[in-house]
Amino acid sequence: MRIAIDAMGGDHAPQSTVEGALAAAREWSDTEIVLVGKEQVLRPMLEGAPANLRIHPAEETIEAEDEPVKAVRRKKDASMVVAGRLVREGEADAMISAGNTGALMTTGLLVVGRMEGIERPALAPMIPTVDERGVLALDLGANMDAKPEHLAQYALMGSVYREKVHGIAKPRVGLLNVGTEAMKGNELTKAAYPLLEELPVNFVGNVEARDILTGACDVLVCDGFAGNILLKSLEGTAGTLFSILKREFTKSWKNKLAAAVLMPSLRGLKQTLDYKEHGGAPLLGLSGLVVKGHGSSDGGAIKNAVRQARLALQNKLTESIAREISGK
Amino acid sequence: MRIAIDAMGGDHAPQSTVEGALAAAREWSDTEIVLVGKEQVLRPMLEGAPANLRIHPAEETIEAEDEPVKAVRRKKDASMVVAGRLVREGEADAMISAGNTGALMTTGLLVVGRMEGIERPALAPMIPTVDERGVLALDLGANMDAKPEHLAQYALMGSVYREKVHGIAKPRVGLLNVGTEAMKGNELTKAAYPLLEELPVNFVGNVEARDILTGACDVLVCDGFAGNILLKSLEGTAGTLFSILKREFTKSWKNKLAAAVLMPSLRGLKQTLDYKEHGGAPLLGLSGLVVKGHGSSDGGAIKNAVRQARLALQNKLTESIAREISGK
C-alpha cells in the first residue's frame, strides 16, 4: 500500500514528518511512503533512506494562518493539496497531514471528494479516557451546526471505524446530551435520538458530559460546537488541575519530597489524559482515507498515524463505511 | 425584608432548611424568615426559634421525580408553589428552594411571573474558578435551545447581578464559543455576538471552554445545552481526577505517607472547585427574586442562600434588571 505524507504540515515539519516517514518505511517494508513537499528541502534529509520511501515534489506550503478554502483553491501545488490529489487519482491509498485543520477538511472535500451518500464528512479524534480505551468523538471539525441526519451518519461511520481500526466488536455508540433519558436534549439531539435507534449500531443512548472520561461509550456523536466545548473543557480542566498540583507540590521542600514519591503515578495519569498522545484523527466520509495528525506531532506521532492508516487500509475501512451508508 | 424558604425542597429537607432558617434568623434580626411547609412537621423542630422566624403552612410537597409543569399546576398547595405565591403577592420579597429544578423554573414562570420585557428567565449558577472569583453562567436552566436575543438578555441580567450582588465593577461578560475570534461559532453564537457588542455591558468577546476555570470572565453567556455540557465536563473531569489521585495516593504505605504531607493543598483545591460550595443560583428575569439552592444543600448552604437573597434585595437587583431591560 502507498501512504502519502504532507511533508510540510505541522508545527515541527519537515523535521517531524521526515523522521516519521523514515521510521515507518523502515518498520513496514510492504508500505510505500510518499513524502510530498519541497524536493530541495527534503532530499538532503533523506540520505540513507530505504527504497520504499520516496519524494513527490510540491513547491507550495499551506500555513497555519492561511484561510482554509482560499488556500486550497489557490495553492494548487501545496504539499497538502498534492497529497490529496494523489489519493483521488489512486496514486496513494491514504494521506496524512499535521497541517492546518480547516485546510485539510477543505482538501478532503474539494480534492479527495466526498463519499457517495455522505452529506458531511466528520473529523473524529480520540478523547482520552481513564480506562485507556478512549472514545472516538465526531464531529470535531469546522462545521459547527449539524442536522439530525448528519449525527446519524456520524454514528454509523464512527462505529465502523472503531470496529475496523480498533478491533472493537459492537462498539458502544452514545449521543452527547444533557441527561440519559431518551427525551432529554435540545431540538437537534431529540430529533437525532430516534434516528440513532434505528441504525445497525450498538446505540447505548444519551451520554452525559461528566461520564465521558470514565469511558461511557466507544463512539460519541455530537455536533461540532458541543464537541468543541466538551473537548476543550476536558483539556482545560485537566491542564489547569495539573498545573495547580505542580505549583502546590513545589511550594516547600517537604512538599517537593512527598511529590517525588508520587511522581510516577502522576506522570502516568497525565500521559493517559494527554490528547496529543492519542494518535491522528481520521476524516470520515471521504472517498479516500485522510488522517489528521495533531499540529504538534513529532516523528513518533507521524509514525503512529502511518500505523493507523495501515490498519484502516488493511481492514478496508473506506469500503466498509461505503457499504454501511449505501445499505441504509 | 421577608424571605420565604421552601421548607420541603432538597435532599436533606426539612432538616437542612430548618437549620438554615434558624441560623439565618439568628444572624439577621432585620430579616423575617418564612418557612413554607407542613406545619405539623416543622413546628416541633422550631422550639426556641427567634421571633423573626415563622411558619407559613403548605400541605403538599413537590418531589424530585415529579414532572415539573404537571406538579406545579396540580399541587397548588405545595410548599414551593405557595412560596412563589407569597412572592407574587408581595408577602415575601424573595424565595429560596433547593427542590426540583424544573419545578422551580416553572414556579418562577407561572406563579411568580416573568419580568416585563424578558423573553426567557435564566438559571444562573456560579461555576468555580481557580482564582476563587467564580463565573456566573447563564442559562443553565431547562431550556436547551436559545435565540440570539435570549443570549443578549442573559448578558444584561448576568452583568447586573455580578455588579449588584457581588460588587464587581464592570463585570467582564464573555460568550461561550469555540474560538476567540469574532466570527467563530455556530449560527447562534455568530448571531449573538453583534447583539452583545451593542449592549451597555463590558463584553470581552468569545471565551473558550478551556479558559473558564482560570477565570476568563465574570459572566458567561451560553444556551442551556452548551452550558450543561461545559459544567458537567468540568465537574466530571475534576471529580474523576480527584478520585484517581485518591486511588494512586493510597496504593502503598510510601504513597500514603507522601500524600499525607500534600493533603492540605489537595483539600483546598478540591474545595475551590466544588460546585456545591458556591451558593445558590438565582433565577433571573422574574418579577421577584427566586434563588435555587443545590439539591444537596445542608443548613449552611441554605443560610448562604439567604445571605445572597439579602444582598440582592438590599442592592435592588430586580429593579436594576428591570431598568436595564426597559432602557434598551
Side-chain angles (χ1 to χ4, degrees), chain A:
Chain A
M1 59 191 105
R2 287 161 306 175
I3 297 177
I5 299 177
D6 166 12
M8 317 312 278
D11 306 343
H12 310 302
Q15 188 68 36
S16 54
T17 51
V18 167
E19 274 176 29
L22 280 167
R26 282 183 189 124
E27 178 142 353
W28 300 294
S29 59
D30 64 344
T31 304
E32 189 182 336
I33 305 288
V34 185
L35 262 176
V36 184
K38 291 185 182 148
E39 186 150 20
Q40 72 278 26
V41 174
L42 298 173
R43 182 67 61 203
M45 300 171 79
L46 289 174
E47 270 182 45
N52 59 331
L53 172 56
R54 65 178 176 89
I55 298 171
H56 186 102
E59 288 309 306
E60 290 177 288
T61 300
I62 291 180
E63 310 292 344
E65 317 75 56
D66 280 349
E67 200 282 308
V69 179
K70 266 190 213 159
V72 172
R73 288 229 164 100
R74 289 187 191 161
K75 294 183 172 176
K76 297 205 183 299
D77 198 29
S79 53
M80 185 190 284
V81 176
V82 173
R85 214 177 295 134
L86 292 180
V87 173
R88 189 191 58 202
E89 292 169 359
E91 289 184 46
D93 301 298
M95 76 166 280
I96 292 165
S97 175
N100 183 321
T101 306
L104 185 58
M105 296 210 65
T106 308
T107 298
L109 265 177
L110 303 185
V111 182
V112 177
R114 223 184 327 219
M115 181 183 286
E116 210 188 306
I118 287 288
E119 292 186 37
R120 186 187 284 168
L123 183 66
M126 289 292 285
I127 295 181
T129 59
V130 294
D131 61 5
E132 301 189 20
R133 236 173 122 98
V135 52
L136 187 84
L138 67 174
D139 174 37
L140 271 131
N143 283 303
M144 290 299 135
D145 295 284
K147 292 183 183 158
E149 299 73 33
H150 299 153
L151 297 192
Q153 292 197 329
Y154 299 165
L156 210 52
M157 295 193 293
S159 180
V160 173
Y161 186 86
R162 289 292 266 174
E163 196 191 321
K164 294 292 173 187
V165 178
H166 295 157
I168 297 175
K170 297 193 185 175
R172 295 161 302 154
V173 177
L175 177 63
L176 179 62
N177 213 332
V178 300
T180 51
E181 306 88 333
M183 279 318 300
K184 285 275 182 180
N186 58 8
E187 284 170 26
L188 173 65
T189 58
K190 280 195 248 180
Y193 194 98
L195 299 184
L196 267 65
E197 280 187 304
E198 280 167 29
L199 293 177
V201 302
N202 178 17
F203 179 48
V204 296
N206 293 324
V207 170
E208 289 193 77
R210 72 169 129 233
D211 300 322
I212 305 300
L213 214 54
T214 44
C217 57
D218 301 306
V219 176
L220 182 70
V221 173
C222 53
D223 66 52
F225 190 86
N228 182 291
I229 301 295
L230 173 75
L231 184 60
K232 287 199 182 149
S233 68
L234 291 177
E235 282 184 302
T237 308
T240 303
L241 289 187
F242 283 123
S243 70
I244 292 175
L245 287 178
K246 196 175 165 189
R247 194 189 63 202
E248 293 291 330
F249 288 3
T250 52
K251 241 183 185 167
S252 65
W253 64 266
K254 241 179 29 186
N255 279 14
K256 277 185 200 168
L257 281 178
V261 174
L262 298 168
M263 211 35 88
S265 302
L266 283 176
R267 210 170 283 137
L269 176 60
K270 199 174 171 195
Q271 212 163 356
T272 302
L273 295 180
D274 189 349
Y275 173 61
K276 291 192 292 295
E277 300 273 329
H278 285 256
L283 237 157
L284 300 175
L286 299 174
S287 60
L289 183 63
V290 177
V291 176
K292 163 87 185 83
H294 199 277
S296 67
S297 294
D298 58 12
I302 297 291
K303 186 188 165 193
N304 272 337
V306 175
R307 186 196 312 274
Q308 218 174 327
R310 278 173 46 82
L311 274 171
L313 292 171
Q314 282 167 343
N315 295 299
K316 306 206 176 303
L317 173 74
T318 307
E319 296 85 335
S320 303
I321 291 178
R323 202 163 40 238
E324 288 293 334
I325 292 291
S326 67
K328 265 183 68 183

Side-chain angles (χ1 to χ4, degrees), chain B residues 122-166:
Chain B
L123 183 67
M126 290 291 286
I127 295 181
T129 60
V130 294
D131 61 6
E132 301 190 20
R133 236 173 121 97
V135 52
L136 188 84
L138 66 174
D139 175 37
L140 271 130
N143 283 303
M144 290 299 135
D145 295 285
K147 292 183 182 156
E149 299 73 32
H150 299 152
L151 296 191
Q153 293 197 329
Y154 299 164
L156 211 52
M157 296 193 293
S159 180
V160 173
Y161 186 86
R162 289 293 266 173
E163 199 190 319
K164 294 293 174 188
V165 178
H166 296 157

Side-chain angles (χ1 to χ4, degrees), chain B residues 4-291:
Chain B
I5 298 175
D6 167 11
M8 317 313 278
D11 306 343
H12 309 302
Q15 187 68 35
S16 54
T17 52
V18 168
E19 274 177 29
L22 280 167
R26 282 184 189 125
E27 178 141 352
W28 299 294
S29 58
D30 64 344
T31 303
E32 189 182 336
I33 305 287
V34 184
L35 262 178
V36 184
K38 290 185 183 149
E39 187 150 19
Q40 73 278 23
V41 173
L42 299 173
R43 182 67 62 203
M45 300 172 79
L46 289 175
E47 269 182 47
N52 60 330
L53 171 56
R54 65 177 175 90
I55 297 172
H56 186 102
E59 289 309 307
E60 289 177 288
T61 300
I62 291 180
E63 310 292 344
E65 316 75 55
D66 279 351
E67 199 284 307
V69 179
K70 264 190 216 159
V72 172
R73 288 228 164 102
R74 289 187 191 162
K75 294 184 174 176
K76 296 205 183 302
D77 198 30
S79 53
M80 184 190 284
V81 175
V82 172
R85 214 177 293 135
L86 293 179
V87 173
R88 188 190 62 202
E89 292 169 359
E91 288 184 47
D93 301 299
M95 75 165 281
I96 292 165
S97 175
N100 183 320
T101 306
L104 185 60
M105 297 210 64
T106 308
T107 298
L109 266 176
L110 302 186
V111 182
V112 177
R114 223 181 331 216
M115 181 183 286
E116 208 187 309
I118 288 288
E119 292 186 37
R120 186 186 286 169
L123 183 67
M126 290 291 286
I127 295 181
T129 60
V130 294
D131 61 6
E132 301 190 20
R133 236 173 121 97
V135 52
L136 188 84
L138 66 174
D139 175 37
L140 271 130
N143 283 303
M144 290 299 135
D145 295 285
K147 292 183 182 156
E149 299 73 32
H150 299 152
L151 296 191
Q153 293 197 329
Y154 299 164
L156 211 52
M157 296 193 293
S159 180
V160 173
Y161 186 86
R162 289 293 266 173
E163 199 190 319
K164 294 293 174 188
V165 178
H166 296 157
I168 298 175
K170 298 193 183 175
R172 297 161 301 153
V173 177
L175 177 63
L176 179 62
N177 213 330
V178 300
T180 52
E181 305 89 333
M183 280 318 299
K184 286 275 182 179
N186 57 7
E187 283 169 26
L188 173 66
T189 58
K190 280 196 248 180
Y193 194 98
L195 300 184
L196 267 65
E197 280 187 304
E198 281 167 28
L199 293 178
V201 301
N202 178 18
F203 179 49
V204 296
N206 293 325
V207 170
E208 289 192 76
R210 72 169 128 233
D211 300 322
I212 304 301
L213 214 55
T214 46
C217 57
D218 301 305
V219 176
L220 182 70
V221 173
C222 53
D223 67 51
F225 190 85
N228 181 291
I229 300 295
L230 173 74
L231 183 60
K232 287 200 182 149
S233 69
L234 291 177
E235 282 184 303
T237 309
T240 303
L241 289 187
F242 283 123
S243 71
I244 292 175
L245 287 178
K246 197 174 164 189
R247 192 189 65 203
E248 293 292 328
F249 287 3
T250 52
K251 241 184 184 166
S252 65
W253 65 266
K254 243 180 23 183
N255 279 14
K256 276 185 199 167
L257 281 177
V261 174
L262 297 168
M263 211 36 88
S265 302
L266 283 177
R267 210 170 283 138
L269 177 60
K270 197 171 174 199
Q271 211 163 356
T272 301
L273 295 180
D274 189 349
Y275 172 62
K276 290 192 292 295
E277 299 274 329
H278 284 256
L283 237 156
L284 300 175
L286 299 174
S287 60
L289 184 63
V290 176
V291 175

